[in-house]
Amino acid sequence: MTRLRFSSSKAIDAIDYIARSKPGITQYYICKIIFFADREHLLDYGRSITGDRFVAMQYGPVPSNVLNLLKFDQNQPPELLDIVTSRVETVKNGNQISYSSKNASDFPNLSGSDKQYLDDAINLYGNMTFGELCDLSHQDVAYEDAWLRIGSDANEMNIDLWLDTLENPASAKAQIGETAQSLA
């Protein structure tokens, strides 16, 4: 299974970028926007935006580390949680938490194509209903594969299944493997 290297700085920029574009957005929508943007960027450019590990959960694919940052998971390094709270404002309304940017940065860790793919995902998926987005994300081949495994909740999604849809999957996997290895 191909694994990418997670970039916390790019993930935090992506969270903030989305929160600036759609103030008051929920973690569900942030996670789905990152999922679609990461997947499409990986297929088109041979690298994802965040390098996150996706897991199959009840309501669809979830970028694991991004979700932990949004939930201020105590297993995350405190300095990362401090950066998130310094850049993104959270408002709790019942069980729902919404996020808005407090930042005026130009998002130096995001490339032009990263921003374009995030914008595209925001425009395509940011206004869908919860049900529409849930249904659509459940149709992903890597999600379906992970969800069907025993102990289905939070199984890692195999991104090789995405790469298998490309014209030359072996070459794409080799390139991505080399890139991930060189980052280690």
Side-chain angles (χ1 to χ4, degrees):
M1 183 182 315
T2 300
R3 289 215 168 86
L4 306 173
R5 183 174 173 159
F6 178 66
S7 170
S8 58
S9 59
K10 290 186 80 168
I12 292 168
D13 270 8
I15 291 167
D16 191 5
Y17 188 85
I18 295 165
R20 182 188 291 177
S21 296
K22 290 201 65 83
I25 194 168
T26 65
Q27 74 183 27
Y28 180 80
Y29 281 86
I30 291 172
C31 286
K32 292 301 174 273
I33 287 167
I34 288 176
F35 162 72
F36 285 114
D38 260 0
R39 182 186 70 184
E40 296 309 312
H41 200 280
L42 177 70
L43 291 172
D44 289 349
Y45 287 97
R47 69 169 179 82
S48 78
I49 298 167
T50 67
D52 210 342
R53 178 178 77 93
F54 289 93
V55 294
M57 297 186 77
Q58 180 180 2
Y59 299 112
V62 174
S64 179
N65 291 297
V66 166
L67 180 61
N68 290 338
L69 289 170
L70 291 170
K71 287 184 162 189
F72 305 108
D73 185 307
Q74 297 308 305
N75 293 322
Q76 294 294 311
E79 59 274 9
L80 290 183
L81 298 177
D82 289 345
I83 294 169
V84 173
T85 58
S86 74
R87 293 182 57 181
V88 180
E89 177 182 9
T90 59
V91 175
K92 187 166 182 156
N93 184 9
N95 291 335
Q96 192 80 284
I97 299 174
S98 62
Y99 302 83
S100 298
S101 179
K102 299 192 252 184
N103 189 18
S105 167
D106 289 330
F107 310 101
N109 299 301
L110 297 177
S111 71
S113 64
D114 294 340
K115 292 174 189 174
Q116 182 60 56
Y117 278 66
L118 288 167
D119 285 337
D120 291 348
I122 291 165
N123 291 331
L124 286 168
Y125 309 109
N127 294 316
M128 286 185 167
T129 67
F130 177 91
E132 290 170 334
L133 200 49
C134 185
D135 290 345
L136 180 63
S137 66
H138 276 87
Q139 295 172 21
D140 181 83
V141 64
Y143 174 83
E144 290 174 344
D145 172 72
W147 189 252
L148 293 174
R149 283 189 235 128
I150 296 183
S152 60
D153 195 31
N155 277 341
E156 184 173 359
M157 293 169 52
N158 182 356
I159 65 170
D160 288 343
L161 297 172
W162 298 339
L163 302 174
D164 287 342
T165 65
L166 297 174
E167 189 174 309
N168 190 344
S171 175
K173 290 173 190 176
Q175 176 190 350
I176 291 166
E178 287 173 16
T179 303
Q181 199 65 22
S182 68
L183 294 173

